[in-house]
Amino acid sequence: MAAMLVLEPIIEADLPSEQYAYRQHRSAQDAVCRVHWLLTGGHRNVVDADLAGYYDTIPHAELMKSVTRRIVDKRVLRLLKMWLDAPVEERDGRGRKKRTTINRDTRQGIPQGSPISPLLSNLYMRRFILGWKKAGAEQRLGAQIVNYADDLVICCKGNNAVMALETMRRMMGQLKLTVNEEKTRTCSLPEEEFDFLGYTFGQRHAAKTKRLYIAAWPSRKSIRRMTETVRIQTGRNMEWMDAGEMVKCLNQKLGGWANYFKLGPVTKAYRFLDRYTTTRLRRWLRKKHKQRSGGLKRYPDEFFYQQMGLIRLPKLPQSLPWAKA
């Protein structure tokens, strides 16, 4: 999109360091590392925040004010306004196409799926982060924000998370955004844990020394999603696949998962996924070849790893950050 080439460097230039999503040389892993750094540095009273339908509730008027402070070309502004008001095409329960104009009717929300949507969502979230600093909340509460798209945590020193939550709730209201009260909470480490960007943050025991330390590791939900992916891939409806192609597909999925979940003590999660994958693959081969028993004898783990080339996750983290923590 040509507008993206024009707008991205202009908007990117003054986005605050607290924002990590959809930016060059920044990633979700960087946000995870930042949260871990704050926690180990004493910011252990945390607001685990969730916004209700962030993308669908961004007000057009306020968003365009932020845009017009940076863009003066009327043609670009008109294009953006037309894009915000554009109808959304969806399919109903019967598969029929249906067009809605909810964004234009409510004067809020940005269409998702367009290259420019992440940029505008970052621009509007910037208003909250700058307002947080201008109001003195960062200094007064020792409260540091880490934001990735619509995911947000506030790490505080002392016992200031409750006050930080009240301040955040009030400021979000001023921005015409809604805090999801059911999913937003405060927690205190090391007594409690919280999830952010697929990782669980909390206290763990070091494997060798048994000392306690603050760590981040793949959340149960993230592991459960990956096992569901493996289950679907090795389902009975996939018996038509060649065994080599099946292993290739599994390697792509497992490798992609491990490429993101490589921070912190990951070996336990990797071993669990290894066991689950070999069990599912063994069952899949038995069903494919109409074999009623003897799966473990026919297809031991080493057969998958050495002959079929299945990826072995616990072998991966040896040189990765935090892997031996």
Side-chain angles (χ1 to χ4, degrees):
M1 186 177 181
M4 183 70 173
L5 298 176
V6 175
L7 292 172
E8 184 175 26
I10 297 173
I11 294 176
E12 168 68 24
D14 62 349
L15 289 179
S17 61
E18 287 83 355
Q19 294 183 272
Y20 289 84
Y22 318 120
R23 304 181 64 183
Q24 291 187 4
H25 312 301
R26 282 175 170 252
S27 67
Q29 290 174 327
D30 292 330
V32 170
C33 290
R34 174 63 177 172
V35 172
H36 180 262
W37 185 85
L38 288 169
L39 293 173
T40 56
H43 295 76
R44 299 189 179 185
N45 210 216
V46 178
V47 178
D48 179 13
D50 185 86
L51 298 179
Y54 173 62
Y55 293 98
D56 296 329
T57 57
I58 295 176
H60 290 181
E62 286 76 5
L63 174 61
M64 289 306 296
K65 285 181 181 178
S66 295
V67 173
T68 54
R69 292 191 183 104
R70 295 160 178 80
I71 306 295
V72 296
D73 191 317
K74 292 183 179 180
R75 293 170 298 178
V76 175
L77 294 174
R78 182 172 177 272
L79 179 64
L80 284 175
K81 195 171 186 304
M82 290 174 60
W83 175 78
L84 289 175
D85 291 340
V88 178
E89 190 173 275
E90 300 175 321
R91 292 187 180 272
D92 59 19
R94 298 180 179 179
R96 297 176 300 187
K97 290 182 179 180
K98 180 182 178 182
R99 283 194 170 191
T100 61
T101 57
I102 186 171
N103 291 347
R104 184 182 64 191
D105 298 339
T106 61
R107 314 304 303 162
Q108 64 181 17
I110 56 176
Q112 297 187 47
S114 170
I116 204 169
S117 296
L119 191 64
L120 294 182
S121 69
N122 269 350
L123 178 61
Y124 199 68
M125 184 62 74
R126 174 184 181 274
R127 297 184 67 168
F128 166 69
I129 296 172
L130 295 188
W132 183 262
K133 295 179 179 180
K134 187 175 181 180
E138 182 177 83
Q139 295 296 324
R140 185 175 70 257
L141 303 176
Q144 299 282 335
I145 295 171
V146 180
N147 165 238
Y148 190 92
D150 58 345
D151 287 315
L152 179 74
V153 294
I154 306 175
C155 301
C156 310
K157 285 195 171 183
N159 297 307
N160 292 325
V162 173
M163 293 180 62
L165 174 56
E166 290 299 322
T167 303
M168 183 200 74
R169 187 182 288 119
R170 183 179 68 255
M171 293 180 65
M172 288 299 182
Q174 294 170 349
L175 293 171
K176 300 182 180 180
L177 300 173
T178 304
V179 175
N180 187 333
E181 299 294 348
E182 292 184 359
K183 296 184 178 180
T184 297
R185 67 187 184 103
T186 62
C187 64
S188 182
L189 275 71
E191 296 81 10
E192 299 174 276
E193 298 175 351
F194 70 95
D195 290 352
F196 180 60
L197 298 180
Y199 281 84
T200 295
F201 293 82
Q203 185 171 256
R204 296 293 289 263
H205 286 87
K208 293 183 179 180
T209 65
K210 303 301 180 183
R211 68 178 179 85
L212 296 173
Y213 68 102
I214 299 296
W217 60 91
S219 69
R220 290 182 180 180
K221 188 175 182 180
S222 300
I223 296 172
R224 191 161 56 245
R225 284 177 176 171
M226 191 60 225
T227 58
E228 179 65 8
T229 298
V230 172
R231 186 191 70 79
I232 293 173
Q233 180 64 45
T234 55
R236 296 197 65 174
N237 63 329
M238 303 299 287
E239 291 174 11
W240 58 269
M241 288 189 70
D242 175 76
E245 286 299 312
M246 172 60 73
V247 170
K248 183 178 179 180
C249 288
L250 288 171
N251 282 348
Q252 290 175 343
K253 296 178 187 299
L254 291 166
W257 190 90
N259 188 53
Y260 177 70
F261 291 103
K262 61 184 180 182
L263 303 176
V266 297
T267 303
K268 184 177 179 181
Y270 282 10
R271 286 174 177 168
F272 175 82
L273 285 175
D274 263 16
R275 289 194 301 270
Y276 184 83
T277 302
T278 53
T279 299
R280 289 293 306 183
L281 188 55
R282 186 176 294 115
R283 179 182 177 183
W284 179 82
L285 282 169
R286 283 180 51 229
K287 296 290 184 182
K288 178 179 175 64
H289 297 297
K290 307 296 188 294
Q291 298 163 341
R292 293 187 177 182
S293 61
L296 186 59
K297 186 175 182 179
R298 285 192 181 96
Y299 310 115
D301 289 353
E302 295 308 313
F303 169 77
F304 296 128
Y305 298 131
Q306 295 181 8
Q307 296 188 41
M308 298 194 70
L310 180 67
I311 192 172
R312 198 164 197 167
L313 295 181
K315 298 292 185 179
L316 299 180
Q318 296 179 359
S319 62
L320 297 172
W322 310 354
K324 298 181 180 180

